[in-house]
Amino acid sequence: NDRLEKEIDDWLYVMKHDEVPETFHSPYMQQVHEKLNILKMTPAERSNYSYYRKKIYNDRDELEAAESRGMEKGRAKGREEGIEKGRAEAELKANNEKIESVREMLAEHIPCEKIMKYLNITSEKLAEIKALILIEKNDAL
């Protein structure tokens, strides 16, 4: 009598009328509705629909592939920047340690030739460090 009270009534209605009822109880009726709409299409409409769906999936796949490539490039760039930053920090730390060592050696009145030999630095670098130490002393006064 076409009263839909249970899930089985929905299924029987679909089989009898070849359409999904307005109000339904089964959680699968929305999917059935979509499939029925596709089955009711003409062959040309179904072909166009298939082409459209395939194009959507292809576009999505291309977008995901491009996104993946972009993320990998970003990671590579981040790694390079991290390595450069680490090297710069290590170089700065080593330079600060040399400056501190020169400061201590000069305070101990160790000759410049020995400082250059022990720290493996050139006379230009030693002069640069001495100038920096003098600037720091003047700033402290």
Side-chain angles (χ1 to χ4, degrees), residues 64-120:
E64 287 176 358
E67 186 178 73
S68 178
R69 286 191 304 270
M71 290 184 80
E72 186 52 42
K73 283 182 182 179
R75 281 189 205 100
K77 185 177 179 181
R79 278 192 294 272
E80 288 175 21
E81 289 174 358
I83 289 170
E84 287 176 23
K85 184 179 177 183
R87 284 185 182 144
E89 287 175 0
E91 188 176 310
L92 181 64
K93 184 178 177 185
N95 195 35
N96 287 342
E97 288 173 356
K98 281 191 180 183
I99 291 170
E100 192 55 37
S101 296
V102 168
R103 182 180 287 124
E104 290 172 6
M105 292 173 135
L106 289 173
E108 298 277 328
H109 303 292
I110 296 176
C112 291
E113 293 78 24
K114 287 191 178 184
I115 294 174
M116 291 185 313
K117 181 181 175 186
Y118 294 147
L119 297 179
N120 194 26

